[in-house]
Amino acid sequence: MGDVKLFRTWSSPFALRIVWALKLKGIEYETIYEDLANKSSLLLEYNPVYKKVPVLLHNGKPICESLVILEYIDETWNTSTRFLPEDPLDRATARFWAKFNDEKVMSSVFHAHVSQGVEQEEAKDVVLKHLNIVENLLTGKKFFSGETFGFLDLVFGWIANYLELLEETGGIQLVDKQRFPLISAWKENFCNIPVIKESWPDREKLITRFRLRREHFISSAEGK
Ligand SMILES: N[C@@H](CCC(=O)N[C@@H](CS)C(=O)NCC(=O)O)C(=O)O
């Protein structure tokens, strides 16, 4: 199916979705690691609008935005297991929840991670409200789409690892087994998949990165 290249960073949770998808589909690809402090001219050429990773290059043609890339991979390499369901209503529903994850869940967690005091308490309430919605989505299911792994597991996958590191480095407690039993059970099922298990970035490196992220945001807010 041609030449596949992935522009990513070692830590991006959005890029990790694509790594998982490519590996699960058994697609050979080359990785190009970007330094976001000094973006390559190729990244700027291939993603001139957002200038972000991930970018997938397939036979020289760029595809940007992780959710778009996931769908592209699923449609292009469609002989093996499909990520998205066949039924149009189920597909639309999956896209709705993917958007909810990216626009609401992730952004509320990132905000709680870099805030302090009352602002952090308020931010935490917003995260918990979103996580309750995610918890309900998992009612009666092993994975987000049912018995088998699918598109939404790739989308919500960051919760299985990044979330606890953001909690640890942000001084907040969000997910525990009592409050979120279904997310906790899903997390275990998800992390047991070999491709997922083998692809997480180095834990200590991520902790250092998240500590720096929090310090950076707090000191810039204090400098205002
Ligand atoms: N909506 C984008 C988000 C990607 C994103 O935020 N990537 C970050 C790395 S985690 C990035 O490249 N940031 C560079 C920048 O903001 O300049 C997607 O789903 O692909």
Side-chain angles (χ1 to χ4, degrees), residues 9 12-14 17 36 39 50-54 65-67 102:
T9 60
S12 168
F14 301 98
R17 292 171 173 169
L36 294 180
K39 294 173 186 169
Y50 295 113
K51 305 175 176 67
K52 290 184 178 191
V53 293
E65 287 292 302
S66 62
L67 297 180
D102 282 23

Side-chain angles (χ1 to χ4, degrees), residues 73-177:
I73 292 173
D74 203 31
E75 285 173 7
T76 306
W77 289 270
N78 59 5
T79 48
S80 53
T81 320
R82 298 299 299 264
F83 297 142
L84 272 156
E86 286 304 318
D87 178 70
L89 180 62
D90 292 343
R91 290 168 81 84
T93 306
R95 290 182 183 117
F96 172 87
W97 289 118
K99 200 164 148 53
F100 172 73
N101 172 73
D102 282 23
E103 291 178 3
K104 298 290 181 189
V105 190
M106 276 180 132
S107 50
S108 63
V109 170
F110 288 145
H111 178 218
H113 178 248
V114 296
S115 49
Q116 300 184 92
V118 178
E119 188 189 341
Q120 191 177 47
E121 281 309 308
E122 286 170 4
K124 187 179 150 178
D125 287 346
V126 176
V127 176
L128 291 174
K129 204 176 80 192
H130 292 150
L131 288 175
N132 269 322
I133 296 174
V134 176
E135 175 81 4
N136 289 334
L137 269 183
L138 284 164
T139 306
K141 295 178 191 163
K142 183 172 176 192
F143 293 107
F144 278 93
S145 42
E147 265 311 291
T148 52
F149 181 96
F151 176 72
L152 284 182
D153 299 292
L154 296 168
V155 172
F156 283 101
W158 67 280
I159 288 183
N161 178 300
Y162 283 66
L163 185 60
E164 69 184 52
L165 305 183
L166 289 161
E167 289 178 68
E168 186 177 330
T169 55
I172 31 170
Q173 166 79 58
L174 298 165
V175 174
D176 60 55
K177 274 198 177 140

